[in-house]
Amino acid sequence: MTAGESHPLIVAIDGPSGVGKSTVARRLAERLRVPFLDTGAMYRAIGLKVLESGADPHDRKMVVALSDAADVRLGRRPDGSFEVLLDGEPVESRIRTPEVGEATSAISTYPEVRQRMVRLQREAATHFGAVLEGRDIGTRVFPDTPYKFFLDARSDVRFRRRFEELQATGQPVTYADVEEDIRRRDLRDSTRIDSPLTRDDSYVFIDASDLSVEEVVERMAREIEGE
Ligand code: DC
């Protein structure tokens, strides 16, 4: 909550894969002194659960049953950010693989899964305020917040960024794999029926292709602080 405001501060950052939303959202949250919530990690927790149980991510009935049974909660890290817990355990170290990304893109098309995640996101953020990043934060989760940003970048910049991220974690990926993976997910995320990735005039659009993380954060903070 910022000084003088009676409502918790809610900042929505939406945009496609590999655009650097998490890094920017985390830094912005630190600057604004509100928690950071990576909503993609919540969907990834369900994707992980589905893969670990051996189910087919395209089997909607099975996925919805697994999702209903999964204990997904949001804990708090020492730095104040939200941490996704699946059945009591932190999931962060297990959800960043291309396999989990692909399964997650499929399971996040199901409205039953989305409703549950949206409810958890609203509960957590309404209480403390938050910078939330995802695909539907400004369109569905908090459509009334005045602070909405759509972060985008040229596709070659996004492919390279995600490729370097995965390489840095020692995963055996090729650039071509990453490119194909992101293209497929972009298409699915923006064409699904329930809460597709989209933006309207209520968003501030930022093309991050040629901007540093600091520059993007600065631009957002100025917009919020009204400078
Ligand atoms: O941002 P990410 O790559 O961690 O997201 C993983 C998947 O989850 C992605 O395919 C889209 C989906 N997602 C979503 O549908 N809605 C959100 N608010 C966040 C992520």
Side-chain angles (χ1 to χ4, degrees):
M1 214 177 291
T2 56
E5 267 184 87
S6 56
H7 296 295
L9 176 65
I10 302 284
V11 180
I13 303 180
D14 289 313
S17 305
V19 76
K21 295 189 299 291
S22 285
T23 313
V24 162
R26 184 181 288 281
R27 300 260 186 100
L28 182 67
E30 279 165 13
R31 172 154 169 174
L32 300 172
R33 297 180 195 284
V34 292
F36 156 61
L37 176 55
D38 172 354
T39 64
M42 300 171 70
Y43 290 95
R44 283 174 182 265
I46 303 294
L48 176 71
K49 174 100 185 172
V50 169
L51 285 187
E52 284 188 341
S53 66
D56 175 0
H58 300 279
D59 180 344
R60 175 169 173 173
K61 235 176 150 177
M62 180 61 99
V63 169
V64 171
L66 283 166
S67 163
D68 284 346
D71 176 13
V72 179
R73 285 171 209 241
L74 295 172
R76 296 291 290 279
R77 296 193 183 92
D79 69 0
S81 60
F82 285 107
E83 173 178 56
V84 181
L85 304 174
L86 173 67
D87 301 328
E89 296 293 326
V91 290
E92 187 56 42
S93 62
R94 293 180 286 155
I95 57 174
R96 302 291 163 194
T97 64
E99 293 74 27
V100 172
E102 181 55 25
T104 305
S105 177
I107 63 96
S108 62
T109 61
Y110 305 136
E112 298 89 335
V113 174
R114 303 200 67 81
Q115 276 157 21
R116 182 150 178 244
M117 298 300 119
V118 168
R119 199 173 58 235
L120 282 169
Q121 290 156 20
R122 287 186 183 142
E123 276 168 16
T126 306
H127 213 68
F128 303 103
V131 175
L132 301 96
E133 65 97 342
R135 304 292 189 291
D136 61 341
I137 308 303
T139 54
R140 166 108 191 260
V141 186
F142 286 106
D144 296 332
T145 182
Y147 308 120
K148 300 184 191 178
F149 299 94
F150 195 97
L151 196 60
D152 208 345
R154 288 193 311 273
S155 49
D156 61 302
V157 173
R158 298 192 292 118
F159 301 155
R160 172 123 335 254
R161 189 176 279 151
R162 186 48 59 87
F163 176 58
E164 286 171 359
E165 252 172 40
L166 289 170
Q167 260 195 333
T169 64
Q171 298 193 45
V173 287
T174 66
Y175 184 87
D177 287 343
V178 173
E179 177 171 347
E180 194 196 315
D181 182 47
I182 292 191
R183 279 193 198 285
R184 200 173 40 234
R185 284 176 48 197
D186 279 356
L187 181 69
R188 199 186 277 149
D189 295 344
S190 56
T191 56
R192 68 176 173 230
I193 307 292
D194 188 356
S195 317
L197 174 66
T198 178
R199 70 188 155 96
D200 58 24
D201 290 349
S202 62
Y203 279 85
V204 172
F205 178 80
I206 299 178
D207 181 342
S209 305
D210 302 309
L211 297 177
S212 66
V213 170
E214 289 71 26
E215 286 169 321
V216 175
V217 171
E218 189 60 34
R219 202 176 277 193
M220 290 177 170
R222 285 212 185 143
E223 199 68 48
I224 294 164
E225 289 159 357
E227 284 169 23

